[in-house]
Amino acid sequence: MTATADFRASVVLVGGHESHHGADIRYLQDDLDRTTVSPAGRPLHNTVKRLLASSGEPVVVVPMTFGRDPSFVADVAKTLKWLSAGIEAPAAAVPRVALAPDFGTLDHLTAWLRTAATQVRQSNPEAAVLISAASANPFDDAEVFRIAHLVRTHGAGNEVEVAIDDGRGGPAAVDKLKRLGFNEIVVVPAGFQRSPAGSWDNDADAGVRFYGPIMSERAVTLVVHQRVADALHSLGHGNDGIDAGLMADHGHGYAHSHAFEEHEHGHDHGHPHTHSHGEHSSNRDHPDALTREPEAAVHIHHHDNSLIHTQ
């Protein structure tokens, strides 16, 4: 499947550890016109600077995260803040750089992993699910275990384990599941991974197989289109999204514990949650494929239908 897009902007899809720093989403450069994939940091800076110099159009940057990498989003926002400050433009001019909303959220990821667990159980009720993720940092890695617990307790009844791809977690998790007596282990990625990788690659003899990407190419391109459309709509109202992005990692990690604070904050530190609404099957090509759970629903609505043509 190949989709083409006619964005009213140059688009940069920036990847963190959930996409192996853009490697897993590189195909989107072919699927979407005027779209570049970049890792964060200096490559992002250079890419956005080049695009700003080559045309008078806005540059929209989409953080390709399911919400497990808030520090990455804040770093992207810092890069764009610095670049925006260097653009000479009349005070009343519309900003030329925008940070789009994150591709997805933790609720989206939980819903998709639950869907995968349901499909695995339908194909083999005795199979175990192994949720895999690239090693990042203790906080982002711990989020995978929290999500796995939600998938296990509100899922299809499968055994669910986690493998962090640090060279040790994969083999240990596979060995544990084999010792528990599971004759098939299905590896499901907690991110954008599209093919087997790591120490637990497809191994038919060992009963290990890769589930595949949790979203189809078409679903990913539709969501990217929506994020760009939202960013352009906000940009038209003077909101570039960068200041919100700078706060993305607020409360992430040890530094923000409220245990010893004597003042109150006006913001909410609650975590999103996902309820079980029964088992169901889902098609990964569905236009609303990012969110198949009511709690995580993000409706695809177009502010400007000229932005994309899906073939």
Side-chain angles (χ1 to χ4, degrees):
M1 194 291 303
T2 300
T4 60
D6 182 17
F7 293 124
R8 293 184 291 107
S10 297
V11 176
V12 181
L13 308 180
V14 58
H17 61 70
E18 292 165 276
S19 66
H20 292 90
H21 303 285
D24 294 332
I25 55 173
R26 193 75 60 188
Y27 71 92
L28 290 167
Q29 293 183 147
D30 297 326
D31 286 0
L32 297 169
D33 294 336
R34 302 166 69 187
T35 297
T36 305
V37 173
S38 172
R42 177 59 62 177
L44 174 65
H45 172 278
N46 293 341
T47 297
V48 174
K49 187 175 181 180
R50 172 179 57 80
L51 292 171
L52 287 170
S54 63
S55 75
E57 295 178 333
V59 177
V60 176
V61 177
V62 183
M64 298 298 285
T65 174
F66 279 103
R68 282 204 309 111
D69 202 350
S71 297
F72 148 77
V73 177
D75 288 342
V76 169
K78 291 173 187 175
T79 298
L80 300 185
K81 187 75 170 179
W82 189 90
L83 285 166
S84 297
I87 299 174
E88 295 183 5
V94 174
R96 289 192 57 204
V97 179
L99 180 61
D102 296 352
F103 176 88
T105 69
L106 294 172
D107 275 353
H108 297 150
L109 179 58
T110 303
W112 268 107
L113 292 174
R114 287 181 59 198
T115 296
T118 298
Q119 293 178 343
V120 168
R121 187 165 179 82
Q122 288 173 344
S123 64
N124 180 0
E126 304 303 319
V129 171
L130 182 60
I131 297 176
S132 70
S135 178
N137 60 69
F139 302 102
D140 295 355
D141 291 351
E143 197 66 62
V144 184
F145 287 87
R146 186 186 74 85
I147 291 171
H149 179 68
L150 293 175
V151 173
R152 183 185 303 111
T153 55
H154 296 300
N158 324 59
E159 179 70 23
V160 178
E161 280 291 333
V162 170
I164 300 298
D165 187 3
D166 57 2
R168 300 183 302 276
V174 168
D175 183 63
K176 176 182 178 180
L177 290 170
K178 287 181 178 179
R179 289 175 181 272
L180 289 173
F182 292 96
N183 59 10
E184 183 178 25
I185 300 166
V186 182
V187 180
V188 181
F192 296 92
Q193 185 178 336
R194 304 189 60 76
S195 60
S199 302
W200 55 92
D201 291 355
N202 278 3
D203 187 343
D205 292 335
V208 180
R209 69 177 177 89
F210 184 66
Y211 171 80
I214 57 174
M215 294 179 67
S216 71
E217 290 186 20
R218 178 171 180 265
V220 173
T221 57
L222 284 171
V223 174
V224 168
H225 164 244
Q226 182 59 48
R227 298 298 175 261
V228 174
D230 288 344
L232 290 174
H233 179 78
S234 296
L235 198 62
H237 292 278
N239 179 10
D240 61 14
I242 295 174
D243 286 343
L246 292 171
M247 298 296 292
D249 61 349
H250 183 63
H252 187 62
Y254 289 126
H256 198 74
S257 172
H258 284 245
F260 304 104
E261 293 184 359
E262 296 180 356
H263 62 280
E264 295 182 359
H265 286 281
H267 52 260
D268 180 15
H269 285 268
H271 295 284
H273 56 277
T274 303
H275 296 292
S276 174
H277 287 263
E279 298 179 10
H280 61 279
S281 178
S282 175
N283 183 341
R284 283 177 277 169
D285 285 324
H286 193 281
D288 294 325
L290 183 59
T291 54
R292 299 293 293 163
E293 296 293 326
E295 291 79 19
V298 173
H299 300 290
I300 301 293
H301 59 279
H302 302 297
H303 296 296
D304 185 340
N305 290 329
S306 68
L307 293 177
I308 192 168
H309 314 286
T310 303
Q311 296 180 338

